[in-house]
Amino acid sequence: MDALPHILTAQAFSKEFLESVFARTDEMVARGGKHYRSDALCGKKVFLLFLEPSTRTRESFAAAALALGASVRSLDNPKETMSLKKGETLSETVYTLSRYYDAIVLRQSEAYVAREAALASSVPVINAGDGPNEHPTQAILDLYTVREWHKKIDGLTVLIAGDLMYGRTVHSLVYALSLYKIKKLIFVPHPLLPLPRQVQKYAELHGIPCEETDCFWRAVPEADVIYQTRVQKERLKDEAVAADSAPKIDEHILAVTKKDACILHPLPHGGELARTALEDPRTLCFSAQEDNGLFTRMALLEMIFEQTN
Ligand code: CP
C-alpha cells in the first residue's frame, strides 16, 4: 500500500489508498463508530508530539489509538519539558522517541520538518500539521465527509475560501482532490492570503479546472462543497492582515448556497462563520467532520500497523 507507513504529505496519496481508508472507515462506522473497539494495536505505544496547540487532531488520534488497544503518551507542554528546550533538534528527539514508541504523531510549526523527522525515525511518523505546509490526515477526514454527504466526490464543484496561503488543510485538500474528477475548484482567498502558486499548479497538472475570484456570493451558487477557513493569525507578522475582508459565511451567503451543498471548516473558527452558518444543517464542522476525524484516524492507524507488523 502506497503512502504508508509514514503519512507526511497528501501528494503521496493515491486514489486506491484513499478509497481503502474510506472502506475501512465505513466498516468501523458500521461496527459502532465512536464505540468501535478492537485489539489491533494491543501492546503498541503511540506518542503524540504536539509542539503547536490542537484540540481535535490530538484528541481524535488519542481516542483512535485507545479504541484500537494502544497505549498513548502525550505531553501538554513538550517545548518546555523535553530536551528540545536545551537545544536538541527535532530529528534527534524523534529518533529517540522512535526507540521507545511504535508510532509518532507530530505537529509542529515549520514547513517540511515532518519529512526530516521521519528520516530520523525507525517507526511511522504521521504529520499532524507542519506549519503552513500540510495536514494530510485532515484531508482524509474532509474527503470522507464530502463522500458521505454527496455519496460521491467525482463531478463536484468545490469552493475553498479564506486564508489559502497559510491554511495547511487547504493545501492537503487540494492535493487529495486532485486524485478525483473534480468539475471545478474555485478559490476565494482573503485578498492578502492567496493560494501558493504551486498548489494550484498541482491541481491543474492533474486536469482540474481552477479559477480564482474575489466575489464570494457570485461563486457560491455553483458550489457543491464550500470549504471555509480561518485566517491563521499565528503565522502572520502583521496583525492588520488578519482584520476583516476575509470571505464570511452569513445569512446572505447561505441564501444563495445550493440546498444540497455541504459547508466544511477544519476548525477552530473565527468570525468567518456567522452563527446562522453554524446552525445551518449543511454546515458539518461540528458534526460529521468531528466524528469522521476519529473514524478515519482509527482506520488509518489500523492500516499503518498492518503494514509495519
Ligand atoms: N483541524 C485541526 O487541525 O484542528 P486542531 O488544531 O484543533 O487539531
Side-chain angles (χ1 to χ4, degrees):
M1 180 75 58
D2 56 337
L4 300 176
H6 298 304
I7 301 289
L8 301 174
T9 167
Q11 291 187 35
F13 296 164
S14 65
K15 191 169 173 181
E16 182 205 9
F17 167 73
L18 287 176
E19 293 295 326
S20 59
V21 178
F22 298 159
R24 183 71 64 101
T25 306
D26 287 343
E27 281 170 32
M28 291 176 162
V29 170
R31 292 169 61 192
K34 179 185 169 189
H35 304 290
Y36 175 83
R37 296 288 181 276
S38 87
D39 58 4
L41 271 61
C42 189
K44 301 294 184 188
K45 293 174 284 179
V46 176
F47 195 94
L48 308 179
L49 179 55
F50 276 63
L51 302 167
E52 280 193 328
S54 169
T55 298
R56 46 203 54 78
T57 310
R58 189 172 86 159
E59 296 312 318
S60 61
F61 264 115
L66 290 168
L68 302 176
S71 305
V72 176
R73 173 94 167 133
S74 174
L75 301 174
D76 282 338
N77 199 0
K79 279 185 180 169
E80 292 300 313
T81 56
M82 299 188 83
S83 288
L84 290 162
K85 177 78 175 172
K86 295 183 270 185
E88 184 162 78
T89 65
L90 184 64
S91 289
E92 287 167 345
T93 301
V94 168
Y95 165 80
T96 302
L97 290 171
S98 78
R99 297 190 72 89
Y100 307 146
Y101 289 88
D102 300 299
I104 299 162
V105 183
L106 173 64
R107 170 170 290 189
Q108 46 75 47
S109 56
E110 278 183 64
Y112 307 112
V113 168
R115 290 182 200 181
E116 267 178 63
L119 287 174
S121 173
S122 55
V123 300
V125 172
I126 301 172
N127 178 7
D130 60 336
N133 183 38
E134 277 210 60
H135 192 346
T137 66
Q138 177 76 39
I140 294 174
L141 83 88
D142 290 337
L143 276 199
Y144 185 82
T145 305
V146 169
R147 171 186 174 272
E148 190 175 51
W149 180 266
H150 281 295
K151 311 295 176 221
K152 64 176 188 177
I153 297 171
D154 288 335
L156 298 176
T157 293
V158 180
L159 184 157
I160 306 181
D163 179 354
L164 308 191
M165 180 178 284
Y166 296 117
R168 57 192 172 199
T169 68
V170 169
H171 309 155
S172 292
L173 180 64
V174 170
Y175 298 144
L177 284 169
S178 297
L179 295 168
Y180 291 83
K181 293 184 175 62
I182 298 303
K183 187 173 174 190
K184 197 198 297 186
L185 278 176
I186 305 173
F187 301 112
V188 188
H190 181 292
L192 297 174
L193 303 167
L195 190 71
R197 185 70 202 126
Q198 73 273 14
V199 180
Q200 182 167 332
K201 196 84 195 156
Y202 186 94
E204 288 168 345
L205 286 171
H206 283 75
I208 312 290
C210 295
E211 73 180 43
E212 185 184 307
T213 176
D214 59 3
C215 192
F216 196 27
W217 70 267
R218 254 192 229 275
V220 160
E222 316 188 42
D224 302 299
V225 178
I226 300 173
Y227 192 87
Q228 176 68 290
T229 61
R230 77 181 168 96
V231 172
Q232 304 275 304
K233 289 182 188 169
E234 64 273 33
R235 316 235 179 265
L236 300 172
K237 291 184 185 71
D238 180 3
E239 280 297 308
V241 176
D244 288 339
S245 74
K248 176 173 177 161
I249 302 183
D250 56 16
E251 65 272 25
H252 305 294
I253 293 294
L254 292 170
V256 295
T257 299
K258 280 185 181 178
K259 290 206 171 0
D260 68 344
C262 59
I263 299 168
L264 272 58
H265 191 302
L267 297 179
H269 69 94
E272 69 281 353
L273 286 176
R275 178 137 300 280
T276 44
L278 289 167
E279 289 169 354
D280 193 289
R282 293 167 291 185
T283 302
L284 307 180
C285 52
F286 278 109
S287 51
Q289 276 179 285
E290 301 264 41
D291 292 344
N292 292 334
L294 171 64
F295 307 152
T296 54
R297 286 169 178 136
M298 289 196 298
L300 195 58
L301 284 174
E302 197 173 270
M303 292 168 69
I304 288 171
F305 277 99
E306 280 170 7
Q307 287 296 113
T308 54
N309 277 337

